Amino acid sequence: MADENNCTHDCSTCSANCSSREQQAPTFEAPHAGSKIKRVIGIVSGKGGVGKSIVTSMLSVIMQRRGLKTAILDADITGPSIPKAFGVKGQVYTVGDGLMPLESTTGIKVMSLNLLLEEETRPVVWRGPVIAGAVKQFWTDVIWEDVDYMFVDMPPGTGDVPLTVFQSIPLDGIVVVTTPQDLVSMIVEKALNMAKLMNIPILGIVENMAYVECPDCGKKINVFGGTDRDNIDGCPIIGKLPLDPKLAALCDKGIIELMENDYLDAAADKIEASFEK
């Protein structure tokens, strides 16, 4: 619990649950005037390394294949991997008062810090408020034009940067990514509770590294333990991803759009169904 006597009343730089936060409604930033974005979905996790970026990439590919105009805002500033997965390279350019996102081979719009760096391997040694400010600018200064579904690849955890995204970008819902271990599941509950605190709808959970499929007999092997559960803390598991070397190879080569599987088709169905009237 934070010391409310020392509160700065700037909730964007604090993750404490106190009365000031309860009384303060989010003040969403307006997107660029040239943007028309229908749905914004955050892909979140309680910790790093569980596969947020691959889930973001795969859901974007699926939606684009369905004829929906799709975009990815890479908010994982210190670990931006979206351009690599899609093979998107080049420098972002300006048009008037805004930045234009680059596009993948199939037309998915992408904005990532790596597209603004001269060297993609250069580390981003920034403090939290600066990182949060960059994420805001990806929303307010980028001309996204017409987008049916924007997926936001969120930074891991429940600290100041995810909090800033929750408070500044009007998310229509989130998908939480986890792995089967009980320890990770406990951390995921923190992310779920954060979303509930911020009144953001939870669309479901995707369990990554859920199993390995034997190449000879097709049997599913639960490497990290049993995965028979269909929910975590009452939230439904809407998709399960196996450890698939072919999928990893596609990301490494920058050709994730060539994936041939139906691992997250049901998850995409449920996301779309969440917004049907």
Side-chain angles (χ1 to χ4, degrees):
M1 179 68 70
D3 182 356
E4 297 191 25
N5 292 326
N6 296 323
C7 181
T8 64
H9 302 288
D10 180 7
C11 293
S12 66
T13 61
C14 174
S15 59
N17 181 15
C18 64
S19 59
S20 294
R21 182 180 308 286
E22 294 169 357
Q23 296 168 3
Q24 185 179 33
T27 54
F28 297 129
E29 299 284 344
H32 190 279
S35 300
K36 185 179 179 181
I37 305 166
K38 293 181 181 178
R39 299 293 181 190
V40 185
I41 311 298
I43 310 298
V44 310
S45 70
K47 67 183 295 297
V50 298
K52 284 184 298 77
S53 295
I54 187 63
V55 171
T56 301
S57 301
M58 294 178 68
L59 288 174
S60 300
V61 170
I62 293 169
M63 293 302 194
Q64 189 77 2
R65 287 178 178 176
R66 295 180 178 184
L68 298 164
K69 297 175 182 177
T70 308
I72 301 176
L73 190 161
D74 190 355
D76 194 355
I77 299 296
T78 59
S81 54
I82 293 297
K84 174 70 174 178
F86 284 88
V88 175
K89 297 180 180 179
Q91 289 291 312
V92 171
Y93 60 94
T94 61
V95 173
D97 63 344
L99 298 170
M100 296 300 298
L102 298 188
E103 291 191 6
S104 70
T105 302
T106 63
I108 298 173
K109 301 178 189 296
V110 176
M111 175 55 72
S112 172
L113 187 68
N114 261 16
L115 302 177
L116 298 171
L117 298 177
E118 293 182 2
E119 300 177 13
E120 65 177 16
T121 57
R122 178 177 296 178
V124 180
V125 189
W126 295 351
R127 294 190 183 275
V130 179
I131 296 174
V135 173
K136 282 186 182 181
Q137 286 185 292
F138 285 174
W139 174 254
T140 60
D141 295 1
V142 174
I143 306 173
W144 292 100
E145 300 181 315
D146 290 338
V147 172
D148 293 314
Y149 277 90
M150 171 182 283
F151 291 95
V152 182
D153 188 7
M154 297 276 286
T158 56
D160 57 343
V161 180
L163 178 59
T164 297
V165 176
F166 283 165
Q167 290 186 320
S168 58
I169 298 178
L171 298 175
D172 293 291
I174 65 167
V175 173
V176 182
V177 182
T178 184
T179 53
Q181 302 98 316
D182 288 339
L183 174 61
V184 177
S185 297
M186 178 271 293
I187 296 172
V188 164
E189 290 188 30
K190 294 179 181 290
L192 294 174
N193 289 331
M194 180 179 182
K196 293 173 183 177
L197 180 67
M198 305 299 294
N199 294 317
I200 298 174
I202 302 167
L203 304 178
I205 296 171
V206 171
E207 195 171 66
N208 191 23
M209 309 180 206
Y211 59 91
V212 171
E213 188 172 296
C214 176
D216 296 323
C217 66
K219 179 181 178 180
K220 293 182 179 179
I221 303 169
N222 299 329
V223 179
F224 296 115
T227 58
D228 295 332
R229 60 188 176 181
D230 58 7
N231 73 85
I232 297 176
D233 196 28
C235 287
I237 295 177
I238 60 175
K240 294 188 178 185
L241 278 175
L243 285 163
D244 186 344
K246 293 181 180 179
L247 193 57
L250 291 177
C251 290
D252 290 342
K253 295 176 181 178
I255 52 175
I256 185 62
E257 289 164 297
L258 297 182
M259 69 178 195
E260 297 179 354
N261 60 69
D262 59 357
Y263 299 145
L264 293 184
D265 284 5
D269 291 341
K270 291 179 181 179
I271 291 172
E272 284 196 85
S274 298
F275 302 111
E276 291 179 354
K277 294 182 179 180

